[in-house]
Amino acid sequence: MNTEIFKIESDKDLVQQIAKAGEMIREGKLVAFPTETVYGLGGNALDKQAAERIYKAKGRPSDNPLIVHIADLESLDRITKRVSKEARALAQAFWPGPLTMIFEKNDQIPYSTSGGLETVGVRMPSHQVALQLIRLGGGYIAAPSANVSGRPSPTCAAHVIEDLSGKIDGIIDDGVDSAIGLESTIVDMTESIPVILRPGFITPSMIREVIGEVEVDKGLLSQDHHEKPKAPGMKYKHYAPQGELYLVRGDRQEVARYIDQQVSERIKLGKRVGVIATDETLKWYHHGITKSIGNWSQEETIARHLYGILRSFDELKVDEIYSEAFDTPKFGQAIMNRLTKAAGQRIKDV
Ligand code: TXA
Ligand code: MG
Protein backbone atom coordinates (compact mmCIF):
# COMPACT_ATOMS: atom_id res chain seq x y z
CA MET A 1 0.00 0.00 0.00
CA ASN A 2 1.23 3.48 -0.79
CA THR A 3 1.29 5.67 2.31
CA GLU A 4 0.74 9.33 1.49
CA ILE A 5 2.64 11.84 3.65
CA PHE A 6 0.78 15.09 4.37
CA LYS A 7 3.25 17.76 5.43
CA ILE A 8 1.93 20.69 7.45
CA GLU A 9 4.23 23.67 6.95
CA SER A 10 1.80 26.58 6.79
CA ASP A 11 -1.72 27.65 7.71
CA LYS A 12 -2.70 26.86 4.13
CA ASP A 13 -1.65 23.22 4.65
CA LEU A 14 -3.74 23.12 7.80
CA VAL A 15 -6.73 23.65 5.51
CA GLN A 16 -5.76 21.91 2.27
CA GLN A 17 -3.69 18.95 3.42
CA ILE A 18 -6.00 18.11 6.28
CA ALA A 19 -9.02 18.38 3.99
CA LYS A 20 -7.49 15.57 1.91
CA ALA A 21 -6.64 13.53 5.00
CA GLY A 22 -10.14 14.11 6.40
CA GLU A 23 -11.68 12.86 3.18
CA MET A 24 -9.62 9.67 3.49
CA ILE A 25 -10.98 9.14 6.99
CA ARG A 26 -14.54 9.63 5.74
CA GLU A 27 -13.87 7.02 3.04
CA GLY A 28 -12.93 4.48 5.72
CA LYS A 29 -9.18 4.80 5.24
CA LEU A 30 -6.52 5.10 7.95
CA VAL A 31 -4.46 8.25 8.60
CA ALA A 32 -1.93 8.76 11.42
CA PHE A 33 -1.87 12.22 12.98
CA PRO A 34 -0.10 14.19 15.71
CA THR A 35 -1.69 14.90 19.07
CA GLU A 36 -0.25 16.61 22.14
CA THR A 37 0.30 13.19 23.81
CA VAL A 38 1.56 10.80 21.11
CA TYR A 39 0.78 10.18 17.43
CA GLY A 40 -2.56 8.43 16.83
CA LEU A 41 -3.59 6.00 14.09
CA GLY A 42 -6.96 7.38 13.02
CA GLY A 43 -9.98 5.79 11.38
CA ASN A 44 -13.71 6.59 11.39
CA ALA A 45 -14.91 5.44 14.85
CA LEU A 46 -18.47 4.85 13.59
CA ASP A 47 -17.29 2.56 10.79
CA LYS A 48 -16.89 -1.06 11.86
CA GLN A 49 -14.57 -1.89 8.99
CA ALA A 50 -12.28 1.09 9.59
CA ALA A 51 -11.91 -0.03 13.21
CA GLU A 52 -11.07 -3.55 12.09
CA ARG A 53 -8.40 -2.17 9.75
CA ILE A 54 -6.79 -0.32 12.66
CA TYR A 55 -6.35 -3.56 14.61
CA LYS A 56 -4.88 -5.24 11.57
CA ALA A 57 -2.39 -2.44 10.77
CA LYS A 58 -1.12 -2.36 14.35
CA GLY A 59 -1.20 -6.11 14.91
CA ARG A 60 -3.31 -5.36 17.97
CA PRO A 61 -5.45 -7.91 19.86
CA SER A 62 -9.11 -7.22 19.00
CA ASP A 63 -10.23 -7.19 22.65
CA ASN A 64 -8.25 -3.99 23.26
CA PRO A 65 -10.66 -1.05 22.77
CA LEU A 66 -9.91 2.13 20.81
CA ILE A 67 -10.27 5.69 22.14
CA VAL A 68 -12.75 7.87 20.22
CA HIS A 69 -11.46 11.40 19.56
CA ILE A 70 -13.96 14.25 19.27
CA ALA A 71 -13.73 17.98 18.61
CA ASP A 72 -16.79 19.33 20.48
CA LEU A 73 -18.94 18.46 23.50
CA GLU A 74 -22.12 17.79 21.52
CA SER A 75 -20.32 14.81 19.97
CA LEU A 76 -19.87 13.30 23.43
CA ASP A 77 -23.62 13.21 24.03
CA ARG A 78 -24.22 11.61 20.63
CA ILE A 79 -22.16 8.48 21.35
CA THR A 80 -22.73 7.89 25.09
CA LYS A 81 -25.74 6.94 27.25
CA ARG A 82 -25.12 9.27 30.17
CA VAL A 83 -22.60 11.95 31.05
CA SER A 84 -22.44 12.62 34.80
CA LYS A 85 -21.92 16.08 36.24
CA GLU A 86 -18.45 14.98 37.41
CA ALA A 87 -17.59 14.07 33.83
CA ARG A 88 -18.84 17.43 32.59
CA ALA A 89 -16.72 19.15 35.21
CA LEU A 90 -13.62 17.22 34.13
CA ALA A 91 -14.33 17.99 30.48
CA GLN A 92 -14.70 21.65 31.37
CA ALA A 93 -11.40 21.61 33.26
CA PHE A 94 -9.20 19.46 31.01
CA TRP A 95 -10.67 19.33 27.48
CA PRO A 96 -9.34 19.86 24.98
CA GLY A 97 -6.35 18.04 26.46
CA PRO A 98 -4.64 14.82 27.57
CA LEU A 99 -7.60 13.22 29.39
CA THR A 100 -9.66 10.21 28.24
CA MET A 101 -12.92 9.39 30.01
CA ILE A 102 -14.78 6.07 29.86
CA PHE A 103 -18.58 6.14 29.45
CA GLU A 104 -21.37 3.69 28.64
CA LYS A 105 -21.57 3.69 24.85
CA ASN A 106 -24.75 3.86 22.77
CA ASP A 107 -25.26 1.95 19.51
CA GLN A 108 -23.55 4.62 17.38
CA ILE A 109 -20.26 3.04 18.44
CA PRO A 110 -19.71 -0.39 16.88
CA TYR A 111 -18.32 -3.19 19.05
CA SER A 112 -15.24 -3.36 16.86
CA THR A 113 -14.35 0.16 18.06
CA SER A 114 -15.11 -0.64 21.72
CA GLY A 115 -13.29 -3.99 21.66
CA GLY A 116 -16.57 -5.75 22.41
CA LEU A 117 -17.23 -3.67 25.55
CA GLU A 118 -20.42 -1.76 26.45
CA THR A 119 -18.23 1.24 27.28
CA VAL A 120 -16.24 3.70 25.19
CA GLY A 121 -13.21 5.86 25.93
CA VAL A 122 -13.54 9.45 24.66
CA ARG A 123 -10.95 12.22 24.38
CA MET A 124 -10.93 15.74 22.96
CA PRO A 125 -7.28 16.46 22.04
CA SER A 126 -5.87 19.98 22.09
CA HIS A 127 -3.52 19.67 19.11
CA GLN A 128 -4.76 21.92 16.28
CA VAL A 129 -3.98 19.37 13.57
CA ALA A 130 -5.89 16.67 15.46
CA LEU A 131 -8.91 18.90 16.05
CA GLN A 132 -9.01 19.94 12.40
CA LEU A 133 -8.72 16.35 11.20
CA ILE A 134 -11.57 15.26 13.49
CA ARG A 135 -13.79 18.08 12.19
CA LEU A 136 -13.01 17.38 8.54
CA GLY A 137 -13.02 13.60 9.04
CA GLY A 138 -16.64 13.34 10.19
CA GLY A 139 -16.39 14.14 13.90
CA TYR A 140 -15.42 10.79 15.48
CA ILE A 141 -11.93 9.39 15.04
CA ALA A 142 -10.91 6.13 16.69
CA ALA A 143 -7.19 6.32 17.36
CA PRO A 144 -4.82 4.11 19.27
CA SER A 145 -1.18 5.14 19.47
CA ALA A 146 0.29 4.84 15.94
CA ASN A 147 2.89 2.17 16.75
CA VAL A 148 3.03 -1.49 15.88
CA SER A 149 1.57 -3.29 18.91
CA GLY A 150 4.29 -3.87 21.53
CA ARG A 151 6.63 -1.08 20.34
CA PRO A 152 7.08 2.27 22.12
CA SER A 153 4.41 4.84 21.22
CA PRO A 154 5.45 7.28 18.48
CA THR A 155 6.27 10.87 19.40
CA CYS A 156 7.19 12.12 15.91
CA ALA A 157 6.22 11.34 12.32
CA ALA A 158 9.48 9.44 11.72
CA HIS A 159 8.49 6.88 14.38
CA VAL A 160 5.15 6.33 12.63
CA ILE A 161 6.83 5.97 9.25
CA GLU A 162 9.19 3.40 10.79
CA ASP A 163 6.32 1.28 12.14
CA LEU A 164 3.41 1.75 9.74
CA SER A 165 4.64 2.92 6.34
CA GLY A 166 3.05 0.72 3.68
CA LYS A 167 0.36 -0.49 6.10
CA ILE A 168 -1.84 2.63 6.28
CA ASP A 169 -3.17 5.21 3.82
CA GLY A 170 -1.67 8.43 5.17
CA ILE A 171 0.54 10.09 7.79
CA ILE A 172 0.26 13.76 8.76
CA ASP A 173 3.67 15.22 9.58
CA ASP A 174 3.67 18.64 11.23
CA GLY A 175 7.43 18.49 11.79
CA VAL A 176 7.12 18.86 15.56
CA ASP A 177 7.65 16.28 18.33
CA SER A 178 4.69 15.50 20.62
CA ALA A 179 4.63 18.07 23.43
CA ILE A 180 3.78 15.64 26.25
CA GLY A 181 5.18 12.36 24.95
CA LEU A 182 3.07 10.01 27.13
CA GLU A 183 -0.46 8.81 26.39
CA SER A 184 -3.48 10.48 28.01
CA THR A 185 -4.68 9.85 31.56
CA ILE A 186 -7.67 7.46 31.43
CA VAL A 187 -10.48 7.84 33.99
CA ASP A 188 -13.38 5.41 34.19
CA MET A 189 -16.48 7.54 34.79
CA THR A 190 -18.89 4.56 34.90
CA GLU A 191 -18.03 3.83 38.57
CA SER A 192 -19.67 5.76 41.43
CA ILE A 193 -16.20 6.98 42.39
CA PRO A 194 -14.24 7.53 39.16
CA VAL A 195 -11.14 5.34 38.73
CA ILE A 196 -7.84 6.16 37.02
CA LEU A 197 -7.03 3.28 34.67
CA ARG A 198 -3.86 4.79 33.16
CA PRO A 199 -1.75 7.55 34.74
CA GLY A 200 -0.71 10.50 32.58
CA PHE A 201 -0.08 14.22 32.48
CA ILE A 202 -3.39 14.94 34.28
CA THR A 203 -2.53 13.72 37.80
CA PRO A 204 -4.84 12.29 40.51
CA SER A 205 -4.49 15.49 42.53
CA MET A 206 -5.50 17.64 39.54
CA ILE A 207 -8.61 15.47 39.17
CA ARG A 208 -9.39 15.58 42.90
CA GLU A 209 -9.28 19.35 42.79
CA VAL A 210 -12.18 19.29 40.32
CA ILE A 211 -14.41 16.41 41.48
CA GLY A 212 -13.25 15.67 45.02
CA GLU A 213 -12.73 11.93 44.82
CA VAL A 214 -10.91 9.64 42.42
CA GLU A 215 -9.41 6.19 42.90
CA VAL A 216 -6.49 4.53 41.16
CA ASP A 217 -7.06 1.09 39.57
CA LYS A 218 -5.64 -1.53 41.95
CA GLY A 219 -4.32 -3.51 39.00
CA LEU A 220 -2.00 -0.59 38.23
CA LEU A 221 -0.51 -0.37 41.68
CA SER A 222 -0.10 -4.02 42.63
CA GLN A 223 3.25 -5.59 41.84
CA ASP A 224 2.05 -9.15 42.33
CA HIS A 225 -0.21 -9.36 39.24
CA HIS A 226 -3.13 -10.78 41.27
CA GLU A 227 -5.25 -7.79 40.35
CA LYS A 228 -5.88 -7.44 36.62
CA PRO A 229 -5.83 -3.86 35.30
CA LYS A 230 -9.27 -2.74 34.13
CA ALA A 231 -8.09 -1.13 30.89
CA PRO A 232 -7.55 -4.15 28.63
CA GLY A 233 -4.48 -2.53 27.06
CA MET A 234 -2.70 -2.20 30.38
CA LYS A 235 -2.34 -5.94 30.83
CA TYR A 236 -0.11 -6.47 27.82
CA LYS A 237 3.67 -6.22 27.99
CA HIS A 238 3.85 -2.90 26.27
CA TYR A 239 6.41 -0.43 25.05
CA ALA A 240 9.05 -3.10 25.03
CA PRO A 241 12.45 -2.05 23.71
CA GLN A 242 14.41 -4.77 21.89
CA GLY A 243 17.22 -4.72 24.46
CA GLU A 244 16.47 -5.86 28.02
CA LEU A 245 15.73 -2.86 30.20
CA TYR A 246 16.81 -2.70 33.87
CA LEU A 247 15.68 0.08 36.24
CA VAL A 248 17.68 1.14 39.27
CA ARG A 249 16.09 3.12 42.09
CA GLY A 250 17.63 4.98 45.02
CA ASP A 251 19.90 7.91 45.81
CA ARG A 252 20.96 9.41 42.45
CA GLN A 253 24.68 9.12 42.99
CA GLU A 254 24.38 5.57 44.36
CA VAL A 255 22.26 4.63 41.37
CA ALA A 256 24.84 6.01 38.95
CA ARG A 257 27.68 4.20 40.75
CA TYR A 258 25.76 0.89 40.68
CA ILE A 259 24.77 1.21 37.02
CA ASP A 260 28.23 2.27 35.92
CA GLN A 261 29.83 -0.75 37.59
CA GLN A 262 27.17 -3.11 36.26
CA VAL A 263 27.59 -1.78 32.73
CA SER A 264 31.35 -2.13 32.84
CA GLU A 265 30.97 -5.81 33.82
CA ARG A 266 28.38 -6.50 31.13
CA ILE A 267 30.62 -4.92 28.49
CA LYS A 268 33.48 -7.22 29.56
CA LEU A 269 31.13 -10.12 28.83
CA GLY A 270 30.75 -8.84 25.30
CA LYS A 271 27.36 -7.13 25.69
CA ARG A 272 26.40 -3.92 23.98
CA VAL A 273 24.88 -1.73 26.69
CA GLY A 274 22.96 1.56 26.76
CA VAL A 275 22.46 3.88 29.74
CA ILE A 276 19.57 6.30 30.28
CA ALA A 277 20.85 9.19 32.40
CA THR A 278 19.87 12.84 32.85
CA ASP A 279 21.54 16.20 32.29
CA GLU A 280 22.39 16.27 35.99
CA THR A 281 23.79 12.72 36.27
CA LEU A 282 25.43 12.12 32.88
CA LYS A 283 28.85 13.07 34.28
CA TRP A 284 28.81 10.09 36.66
CA TYR A 285 28.72 7.48 33.90
CA HIS A 286 31.86 6.25 32.20
CA HIS A 287 30.80 3.06 30.39
CA GLY A 288 28.39 2.03 27.66
CA ILE A 289 26.39 4.22 25.31
CA THR A 290 25.11 6.96 27.60
CA LYS A 291 22.24 9.31 26.71
CA SER A 292 20.47 12.02 28.65
CA ILE A 293 16.68 11.67 28.65
CA GLY A 294 16.11 15.18 30.06
CA ASN A 295 16.37 17.10 33.25
CA TRP A 296 15.47 15.90 36.78
CA SER A 297 14.44 19.45 37.68
CA GLN A 298 12.09 19.67 34.65
CA GLU A 299 10.32 16.35 34.81
CA GLU A 300 8.18 17.03 31.73
CA THR A 301 11.37 16.74 29.64
CA ILE A 302 11.86 13.17 30.91
CA ALA A 303 8.28 12.26 29.94
CA ARG A 304 8.65 13.88 26.54
CA HIS A 305 11.80 11.98 25.56
CA LEU A 306 11.05 8.57 27.08
CA TYR A 307 9.71 6.74 24.02
CA GLY A 308 12.18 8.38 21.64
CA ILE A 309 15.15 7.27 23.72
CA LEU A 310 13.86 3.67 23.90
CA ARG A 311 13.52 3.66 20.12
CA SER A 312 16.99 5.13 19.64
CA PHE A 313 18.49 2.28 21.68
CA ASP A 314 16.62 -0.19 19.47
CA GLU A 315 18.30 1.39 16.47
CA LEU A 316 21.69 1.01 18.13
CA LYS A 317 20.85 -2.67 18.69
CA VAL A 318 21.95 -2.72 22.32
CA ASP A 319 21.52 -5.99 24.24
CA GLU A 320 20.73 -4.27 27.52
CA ILE A 321 19.65 -0.84 28.75
CA TYR A 322 20.14 0.46 32.29
CA SER A 323 18.02 3.37 33.42
CA GLU A 324 17.59 5.52 36.48
CA ALA A 325 14.08 5.19 38.00
CA PHE A 326 12.31 8.50 37.49
CA ASP A 327 9.92 8.70 40.41
CA THR A 328 9.51 12.46 40.09
CA PRO A 329 6.80 14.35 42.06
CA LYS A 330 4.19 15.11 39.36
CA PHE A 331 4.57 12.76 36.42
CA GLY A 332 6.65 10.09 38.17
CA GLN A 333 3.67 7.73 38.39
CA ALA A 334 2.99 8.04 34.66
CA ILE A 335 6.66 7.75 33.66
CA MET A 336 7.32 4.76 35.93
CA ASN A 337 4.12 3.03 34.77
CA ARG A 338 5.54 2.93 31.22
CA LEU A 339 9.12 2.26 32.25
CA THR A 340 8.36 -0.66 34.60
CA LYS A 341 6.28 -2.26 31.87
CA ALA A 342 9.02 -1.72 29.32
CA ALA A 343 11.39 -3.32 31.84
CA GLY A 344 9.08 -6.29 32.41
CA GLN A 345 9.24 -5.37 36.15
CA ARG A 346 13.09 -5.68 36.34
CA ILE A 347 13.71 -3.06 39.00
CA LYS A 348 16.56 -2.92 41.54
CA ASP A 349 16.75 -0.85 44.73
CA VAL A 350 20.21 0.33 45.77
O1 TXA B 1 -3.04 9.85 24.41
C1 TXA B 1 -3.72 8.91 24.00
O2 TXA B 1 -4.68 8.44 24.64
C2 TXA B 1 -3.35 8.32 22.62
C3 TXA B 1 -3.61 9.42 21.57
C4 TXA B 1 -3.45 8.91 20.17
O3 TXA B 1 -4.85 10.01 21.77
N1 TXA B 1 -4.08 7.14 22.36
C5 TXA B 1 -3.82 5.96 22.99
O4 TXA B 1 -4.57 4.88 22.56
O5 TXA B 1 -2.96 5.84 23.86
P1 TXA B 1 -4.16 3.36 22.85
O6 TXA B 1 -5.15 2.58 22.08
O7 TXA B 1 -2.75 3.15 22.54
O8 TXA B 1 -4.47 3.14 24.36
C6 TXA B 1 -5.81 3.09 24.78
C7 TXA B 1 -5.92 2.47 26.14
C8 TXA B 1 -5.75 0.97 26.10
O9 TXA B 1 -5.02 0.55 27.24
C9 TXA B 1 -7.20 0.48 26.18
O10 TXA B 1 -7.31 -0.81 26.74
C10 TXA B 1 -7.84 1.55 27.07
O11 TXA B 1 -7.22 2.73 26.62
N2 TXA B 1 -9.28 1.68 26.82
C11 TXA B 1 -9.88 2.18 25.72
N3 TXA B 1 -11.22 2.09 25.81
C12 TXA B 1 -11.49 1.54 27.01
C13 TXA B 1 -12.68 1.16 27.70
N4 TXA B 1 -13.88 1.33 27.17
N5 TXA B 1 -12.55 0.60 28.93
C14 TXA B 1 -11.34 0.40 29.48
N6 TXA B 1 -10.16 0.74 28.87
C15 TXA B 1 -10.24 1.28 27.67
MG1 MG C 1 -0.87 2.34 22.73
Side-chain angles (χ1 to χ4, degrees), residues 38 58 60 64 144-147 151 153 183 198 238-239:
V38 299
K58 272 183 69 94
R60 174 174 176 132
N64 190 1
S145 49
N147 51 289
R151 291 219 69 203
S153 295
E183 305 86 341
R198 179 172 73 183
H238 239 160
Y239 324 119

Side-chain angles (χ1 to χ4, degrees), residues 258-274 286-289 319-320 322:
Y258 175 85
I259 291 181
D260 204 41
Q261 196 204 339
Q262 204 68 14
V263 173
S264 122
E265 281 168 22
R266 303 303 292 163
I267 289 173
K268 279 185 210 140
L269 293 173
K271 300 279 185 196
R272 198 170 156 78
V273 188
H286 312 286
H287 301 97
I289 308 170
D319 303 302
E320 293 171 4
Y322 285 80

Side-chain angles (χ1 to χ4, degrees), residues 210-338:
V210 179
I211 57 167
E213 266 187 307
V214 72
E215 286 177 353
V216 178
D217 184 9
K218 289 194 187 65
L220 278 185
L221 300 173
S222 82
Q223 300 278 339
D224 59 12
H225 301 289
H226 287 324
E227 297 271 356
K228 277 221 165 59
K230 202 178 160 195
M234 302 298 277
K235 69 175 184 270
Y236 298 106
K237 183 181 171 202
H238 239 160
Y239 324 119
Q242 282 153 26
E244 288 206 336
L245 174 64
Y246 296 87
L247 306 180
V248 184
R249 188 164 51 192
D251 169 79
R252 278 180 219 172
Q253 213 162 346
E254 289 293 318
V255 165
R257 197 173 304 142
Y258 175 85
I259 291 181
D260 204 41
Q261 196 204 339
Q262 204 68 14
V263 173
S264 122
E265 281 168 22
R266 303 303 292 163
I267 289 173
K268 279 185 210 140
L269 293 173
K271 300 279 185 196
R272 198 170 156 78
V273 188
V275 176
I276 302 180
T278 58
D279 294 348
E280 291 95 333
T281 58
L282 201 57
K283 59 178 182 285
W284 293 326
Y285 295 93
H286 312 286
H287 301 97
I289 308 170
T290 55
K291 285 177 187 274
S292 171
I293 189 174
N295 206 289
W296 270 99
S297 64
Q298 284 171 286
E299 46 181 306
E300 66 281 5
T301 61
I302 296 175
R304 191 180 301 147
H305 300 136
L306 178 65
Y307 289 136
I309 211 165
L310 292 177
R311 277 182 184 256
S312 72
F313 278 125
D314 278 352
E315 260 167 51
L316 290 165
K317 303 223 179 317
V318 295
D319 303 302
E320 293 171 4
I321 308 165
Y322 285 80
S323 175
E324 298 174 12
F326 303 106
D327 28 24
T328 55
K330 273 172 84 183
F331 312 127
Q333 197 181 33
I335 296 168
M336 289 304 288
N337 168 261
R338 276 62 169 192

Side-chain angles (χ1 to χ4, degrees), residues 16-27:
Q16 292 178 349
Q17 295 291 79
I18 300 184
K20 282 194 250 169
E23 195 181 329
M24 280 186 165
I25 297 277
R26 278 185 280 114
E27 287 168 351

Side-chain angles (χ1 to χ4, degrees), residues 38-219:
V38 299
Y39 263 74
L41 170 56
N44 180 359
L46 310 186
D47 176 346
K48 179 172 171 286
Q49 272 146 8
E52 282 160 7
R53 279 191 204 114
I54 292 179
Y55 288 99
K56 189 153 171 261
K58 272 183 69 94
R60 174 174 176 132
S62 61
D63 68 343
N64 190 1
L66 308 174
I67 293 173
V68 177
H69 295 67
I70 57 173
D72 53 55
L73 278 175
E74 293 74 56
S75 305
L76 176 63
D77 293 305
R78 285 195 208 107
I79 55 175
T80 54
K81 284 198 174 146
R82 197 180 87 87
V83 178
S84 65
K85 69 175 195 309
E86 287 79 13
R88 292 203 193 275
L90 289 177
Q92 168 79 24
F94 302 118
W95 278 0
L99 177 74
T100 296
M101 288 189 273
I102 310 283
F103 301 94
E104 268 180 68
K105 76 172 196 70
N106 68 20
D107 52 18
Q108 291 290 309
I109 299 293
Y111 285 109
S112 32
T113 296
S114 74
L117 299 178
E118 294 299 336
T119 55
V120 61
V122 186
R123 171 162 115 83
M124 190 191 295
S126 62
H127 197 296
Q128 286 312 309
V129 169
L131 285 172
Q132 181 78 340
L133 182 70
I134 297 163
R135 288 187 202 109
L136 299 177
Y140 306 90
I141 297 192
S145 49
N147 51 289
V148 162
S149 210
R151 291 219 69 203
S153 295
T155 53
C156 63
H159 295 162
V160 183
I161 292 171
E162 207 171 276
D163 278 17
L164 295 176
S165 187
K167 296 181 184 160
I168 61 177
D169 303 283
I171 298 173
I172 302 180
D173 177 2
D174 68 344
V176 186
D177 288 0
S178 309
I180 294 175
L182 296 179
E183 305 86 341
S184 60
T185 304
I186 302 181
V187 190
D188 184 353
M189 302 306 295
T190 66
E191 302 281 348
S192 53
I193 297 175
V195 186
I196 296 180
L197 305 187
R198 179 172 73 183
F201 190 79
I202 307 290
T203 61
S205 68
M206 289 161 79
I207 293 172
R208 275 188 203 110
E209 261 177 45
V210 179
I211 57 167
E213 266 187 307
V214 72
E215 286 177 353
V216 178
D217 184 9
K218 289 194 187 65

